[in-house]
Amino acid sequence: AQSVTQLDSHVSVSEGTPVLLRCNYSSSYSPSLFWYVQHPNKGLQLLLKYTSAATLVKGINGFEAEFKKSETSFHLTKPSAHMSDAAEYFCVVRWSSGGYQKVTFGTGTKLQVIP
Amino acid sequence: ETGVTQTPRHLVMGMTNKKSLKCEQHLGHNAMYWYKQSAKKPLELMFVYSLEERVENNSVPSRFSPECPNSSHLFLHLHTLQPEDSALYLCASSQYLGNSPLHFGNGTRLTVT
């Protein structure tokens, strides 16, 4: 079985301060992990992906995430928040095996950026 | 331009109407997905098509009827909907197997009156 837990439903940071959005996963197989961002009334946009290459993954808009197998975590970070980062963020785990695939979404974290 | 286009962007329909949502992808993917996103609820997978064959159907009411005529097009036919069906309906595409990400359209905001 596989699951994704986003530990915070809401995170609030001041503009210019670091962002940390937490994600833990469980998977019986070697998973691929993704972070998506969703602005209001828009679809989900891919921020970054981990697919068993480098454990530190850089994405768009200055975001990065580190895959830590020992902690089963894939936290999303950004050194300095910008007002335009205010959105909802989803952590996603995907695996495929034996002609079958499964995609599981976290419940989302809403990021508020305070001026 | 996301590579996945959904039309219409907004739809208001009465409970007795029949309407269809359309999704088109130009990414060469072989799998397409319908998701429902309601306020304060997790994203719900509705249907998955791989090579035009429905491979996943998550106990969706029969008033939602998907159609996948080819690997680039996906429809969701709607009839006799309920107000609780009001939501953002998202289409996505990907390669069915492997570790590639899903690519999403901008969704159709559906309001059932």
Side-chain angles (χ1 to χ4, degrees):
Chain A
Q2 65 176 21
S3 65
V4 177
T5 303
Q6 291 186 242
L7 296 153
D8 307 294
S9 58
H10 288 83
V11 169
S12 184
V13 300
S14 297
E15 190 177 16
T17 64
V19 175
L20 170 64
L21 305 183
R22 298 182 293 167
C23 173
N24 285 94
Y25 72 93
S26 70
S27 177
S28 305
Y29 299 86
S30 296
S32 297
L33 294 157
F34 310 91
W35 275 100
Y36 286 83
V37 61
Q38 185 180 31
H39 289 93
N41 291 312
K42 294 280 191 177
L44 277 69
Q45 179 187 13
L46 180 68
L47 271 181
L48 50 80
K49 61 181 180 180
Y50 167 77
T51 56
S52 76
T55 55
L56 181 62
V57 181
K58 293 189 185 297
I60 61 171
N61 301 335
F63 284 94
E64 62 182 38
E66 186 171 6
F67 174 72
K68 291 187 177 180
K69 188 174 182 179
S70 60
E71 299 176 10
T72 60
S73 69
F74 190 57
H75 301 333
L76 182 70
T77 60
K78 183 174 180 178
S80 175
H82 191 273
M83 294 300 296
S84 60
D85 295 328
E88 189 159 20
Y89 293 79
F90 294 90
C91 182
V92 180
V93 60
R94 180 180 186 191
W95 59 264
S96 57
S97 176
Y100 183 72
Q101 65 109 33
K102 185 77 174 174
V103 180
T104 302
F105 282 76
T107 50
T109 299
K110 286 191 176 172
L111 176 65
Q112 180 187 21
V113 182
I114 302 167
Chain B
E1 176 56 54
T2 66
V4 179
T5 304
Q6 289 186 244
T7 55
R9 288 298 315 277
H10 301 273
L11 178 62
V12 179
M13 59 187 288
M15 290 191 284
T16 57
N17 291 159
K18 287 185 181 181
K19 296 285 184 184
S20 295
L21 310 185
K22 180 182 175 183
C23 178
E24 188 173 352
Q25 60 99 1
H26 302 283
L27 299 169
H29 291 155
N30 59 17
M32 296 187 79
Y33 309 72
W34 278 118
Y35 282 88
K36 177 183 178 183
Q37 189 177 37
S38 306
K40 300 182 181 178
K41 284 188 177 180
L43 206 62
E44 299 172 57
L45 177 64
M46 300 175 74
F47 303 104
V48 181
Y49 277 81
S50 172
L51 297 171
E52 298 127 52
E53 179 183 342
R54 192 188 310 177
V55 295
E56 205 164 333
N57 177 348
N58 282 349
S59 304
V60 179
S62 59
R63 56 186 184 269
F64 294 91
S65 175
E67 179 190 0
C68 188
N70 55 61
S71 58
S72 298
H73 293 86
L74 184 65
F75 295 88
L76 188 63
H77 303 299
L78 317 170
H79 63 99
T80 58
L81 294 191
Q82 305 298 310
E84 61 264 28
D85 297 323
S86 298
L88 182 67
Y89 288 84
L90 292 164
C91 173
S93 71
S94 75
Q95 294 303 116
Y96 183 64
L97 296 176
N99 53 23
S100 62
L102 273 62
H103 293 256
F104 284 85
N106 280 326
T108 294
R109 172 68 63 188
L110 173 67
T111 303
V112 181
T113 60

